[in-house]
Amino acid sequence: MAEKNKKRLNTNANGYTLVYSTVIVVIVAFLLAFVFKALKPMQDVNVALDKKKQLLYALNVRNVDNAAAAEKYKQLIVADEIIDVNGKLINKGEPGGEKAGFTLNSADYKAGKLALFVCKVNGQTKYIIPVYGMGLWGPINGFIALNDDKNTVYGAYFNHEGETAGLGAEIKDNIKWQKLFQGKKLFGNDNSKIALSVVKKVEEPATQVDAVTGATLTSNGVSDMLAECLSKYLIFLTDK
């Protein structure tokens, strides 16, 4: 009789549902945090490797597997320097560097810390400058590689986060379009401003690149990105 009078847990009560849901959420959150922490070192390695590949793309080194890309990066990158807008060296970096300029992002760029990758390709000095901007649907970025005259483009690579496939996304997917930058000049007759640009109608072949067909706003974003970001390096670029 006593057992029948025992108060049973009411699984239909709001309190039970609330407690049960809270326990499940806590358990799932703990598991997700554990998995994220466990996988983060691997994710960091993959992110770093992807960035190395993008830098190599700017140096016209493509179609290499992961192992070859990591090794090639060590061979070609002399230093991942950090400079300021006055061209002053803040951190000289190191060969195959991953701890100085390599770690910088768009926030560091806005704060005045500028990454500069010094490279050696077939015995010739090249410089790679990161660029950041906005496309039609979100952030875009890339790398511009220059010859040692600090004026002639050796290679270029662009990336995006959400541009339209077949249109704006061509800045990343269309290698032929990226190759149009090779041999272009940063400066025209005036070394006080960046002349390299992306336009719908090329009138100055030395400094202008054809816009991506059907992607005017994304192309404008690339052009604005080049003008703004490369201008930050103006003192370095004009110091011969």
Side-chain angles (χ1 to χ4, degrees):
M1 189 71 175
E3 291 182 358
K4 290 182 179 181
N5 291 332
K6 282 184 178 179
K7 188 175 181 180
R8 294 183 178 180
L9 182 63
N10 184 3
T11 58
N12 294 319
N14 290 336
Y16 174 84
T17 302
L18 180 61
V19 171
Y20 180 81
S21 299
T22 301
V23 171
I24 293 299
V25 168
V26 170
I27 292 174
V28 171
F30 174 79
L31 291 175
L32 289 175
F34 175 79
V35 171
F36 174 79
K37 187 174 182 180
L39 295 179
K40 192 174 186 309
M42 186 181 299
Q43 293 172 342
D44 291 343
V45 169
N46 289 334
V47 169
L49 180 59
D50 182 64
K51 187 170 184 177
K52 291 176 183 178
K53 284 185 172 182
Q54 292 184 34
L55 285 157
L56 291 176
Y57 295 160
L59 292 173
N60 306 315
V61 178
R62 297 176 182 264
N63 301 319
V64 290
D65 59 29
N66 292 346
E71 186 59 32
K72 201 70 175 177
Y73 179 82
K74 290 180 180 179
Q75 294 174 4
L76 299 182
I77 304 301
V78 175
D80 59 328
E81 295 181 353
I82 300 176
I83 64 173
D84 63 16
V85 293
N86 295 313
K88 181 181 178 181
L89 184 65
I90 297 174
N91 189 321
K92 66 179 182 179
E94 60 186 7
E98 298 182 46
K99 298 178 181 178
F102 188 84
T103 66
L104 301 188
N105 54 32
S106 59
D108 297 302
Y109 154 80
K110 292 176 182 177
K113 297 173 66 176
L114 310 177
L116 177 66
F117 296 86
V118 183
C119 317
K120 281 287 186 182
V121 180
N122 297 324
Q124 298 181 339
T125 299
K126 311 293 179 185
Y127 301 100
I128 302 180
I129 295 176
V131 291
Y132 309 94
M134 288 294 297
L136 175 59
W137 301 115
I140 57 177
N141 59 80
F143 296 100
I144 301 295
L146 305 173
N147 288 336
D148 60 0
D149 63 0
K150 302 180 184 178
N151 185 30
T152 307
V153 177
Y154 179 70
Y157 176 78
F158 300 103
N159 201 357
H160 68 91
E161 292 188 9
E163 299 306 291
T164 306
L167 296 173
E170 289 293 285
I171 65 170
K172 173 185 177 182
D173 301 332
N174 192 332
I175 298 176
K176 290 183 179 179
W177 184 76
Q178 293 176 7
K179 287 183 176 181
L180 294 177
F181 285 84
Q182 295 177 11
K184 299 295 182 181
K185 303 295 184 180
L186 296 191
F187 303 101
N189 297 323
D190 184 0
N191 281 3
S192 67
K193 62 180 180 179
I194 300 297
L196 180 65
S197 58
V198 179
V199 297
K200 291 183 68 174
K201 183 179 180 181
V202 173
E203 296 179 347
E204 299 291 340
T207 59
Q208 296 177 339
V209 174
D210 274 316
V212 175
T213 303
T216 301
L217 294 180
T218 303
S219 297
N220 289 345
V222 173
S223 195
D224 292 342
M225 173 174 70
L226 294 173
E228 180 181 347
C229 293
L230 294 175
S231 292
K232 293 281 189 179
Y233 293 78
L234 195 58
I235 293 179
F236 165 78
L237 293 171
T238 54
D239 180 13
K240 307 300 183 181

